[in-house]
Short mmCIF file of all heavy atoms in Angstrom, two decimals:
data_model
loop_
_atom_site.label_atom_id
_atom_site.label_comp_id
_atom_site.label_asym_id
_atom_site.label_seq_id
_atom_site.Cartn_x
_atom_site.Cartn_y
_atom_site.Cartn_z
N GLY A 121 -6.96 16.23 -11.80
CA GLY A 121 -5.59 16.20 -12.30
C GLY A 121 -4.62 17.07 -11.54
O GLY A 121 -3.50 17.26 -11.97
N VAL A 122 -5.04 17.58 -10.37
CA VAL A 122 -4.12 18.39 -9.56
C VAL A 122 -3.04 17.46 -9.01
O VAL A 122 -3.36 16.48 -8.33
CB VAL A 122 -4.88 19.09 -8.39
CG1 VAL A 122 -3.90 19.82 -7.49
CG2 VAL A 122 -5.94 20.04 -8.94
N PRO A 123 -1.77 17.72 -9.33
CA PRO A 123 -0.70 16.83 -8.86
C PRO A 123 -0.64 16.80 -7.33
O PRO A 123 -0.68 17.84 -6.68
CB PRO A 123 0.58 17.46 -9.42
CG PRO A 123 0.11 18.33 -10.55
CD PRO A 123 -1.26 18.81 -10.17
N MET A 124 -0.61 15.60 -6.79
CA MET A 124 -0.50 15.41 -5.35
C MET A 124 -0.09 13.98 -5.08
O MET A 124 -0.17 13.14 -5.96
CB MET A 124 -1.83 15.71 -4.66
CG MET A 124 -2.97 14.77 -5.05
SD MET A 124 -4.52 15.11 -4.18
CE MET A 124 -4.94 16.70 -4.84
N SER A 125 0.35 13.75 -3.86
CA SER A 125 0.68 12.39 -3.47
C SER A 125 -0.62 11.61 -3.33
O SER A 125 -1.53 12.03 -2.63
CB SER A 125 1.45 12.38 -2.15
OG SER A 125 1.62 11.05 -1.72
N LEU A 126 -0.70 10.49 -4.01
CA LEU A 126 -1.92 9.69 -3.98
C LEU A 126 -1.84 8.53 -2.99
O LEU A 126 -2.84 7.84 -2.76
CB LEU A 126 -2.22 9.14 -5.38
CG LEU A 126 -2.43 10.20 -6.47
CD1 LEU A 126 -2.55 9.53 -7.84
CD2 LEU A 126 -3.66 11.03 -6.18
N ALA A 127 -0.68 8.34 -2.39
CA ALA A 127 -0.47 7.16 -1.54
C ALA A 127 -1.46 7.10 -0.39
O ALA A 127 -2.09 6.06 -0.16
CB ALA A 127 0.97 7.14 -1.03
N THR A 128 -1.62 8.17 0.35
CA THR A 128 -2.50 8.16 1.51
C THR A 128 -3.95 7.96 1.08
O THR A 128 -4.70 7.21 1.71
CB THR A 128 -2.35 9.47 2.31
OG1 THR A 128 -0.97 9.62 2.64
CG2 THR A 128 -3.17 9.45 3.57
N MET A 129 -4.34 8.62 0.01
CA MET A 129 -5.70 8.48 -0.51
C MET A 129 -5.96 7.03 -0.91
O MET A 129 -7.00 6.46 -0.59
CB MET A 129 -5.88 9.42 -1.70
CG MET A 129 -7.29 9.46 -2.24
SD MET A 129 -7.43 10.59 -3.64
CE MET A 129 -6.75 12.09 -2.97
N GLU A 130 -5.02 6.44 -1.61
CA GLU A 130 -5.19 5.06 -2.05
C GLU A 130 -5.23 4.10 -0.87
O GLU A 130 -5.99 3.13 -0.88
CB GLU A 130 -4.06 4.68 -3.01
CG GLU A 130 -4.20 5.38 -4.35
CD GLU A 130 -3.02 5.13 -5.26
OE1 GLU A 130 -2.02 4.53 -4.82
OE2 GLU A 130 -3.10 5.54 -6.42
N GLN A 131 -4.45 4.37 0.17
CA GLN A 131 -4.48 3.51 1.35
C GLN A 131 -5.84 3.58 2.04
O GLN A 131 -6.39 2.55 2.44
CB GLN A 131 -3.38 3.92 2.33
CG GLN A 131 -2.00 3.58 1.83
CD GLN A 131 -0.90 4.19 2.70
OE1 GLN A 131 -1.16 4.99 3.58
NE2 GLN A 131 0.32 3.81 2.42
N ALA A 132 -6.38 4.78 2.15
CA ALA A 132 -7.70 4.93 2.79
C ALA A 132 -8.78 4.23 1.97
O ALA A 132 -9.62 3.51 2.51
CB ALA A 132 -8.03 6.41 2.97
N LEU A 133 -8.76 4.43 0.65
CA LEU A 133 -9.76 3.79 -0.20
C LEU A 133 -9.60 2.27 -0.20
O LEU A 133 -10.59 1.54 -0.17
CB LEU A 133 -9.67 4.35 -1.63
CG LEU A 133 -10.10 5.81 -1.77
CD1 LEU A 133 -9.75 6.33 -3.16
CD2 LEU A 133 -11.58 5.99 -1.48
N SER A 134 -8.36 1.79 -0.20
CA SER A 134 -8.13 0.35 -0.14
C SER A 134 -8.65 -0.24 1.16
O SER A 134 -9.26 -1.31 1.17
CB SER A 134 -6.63 0.04 -0.28
OG SER A 134 -6.17 0.44 -1.54
#
Side-chain angles (χ1 to χ4, degrees):
V122 175
M124 64 178 67
S125 173
L126 300 173
T128 305
M129 186 180 307
E130 289 174 353
Q131 290 170 352
L133 292 170
S134 296

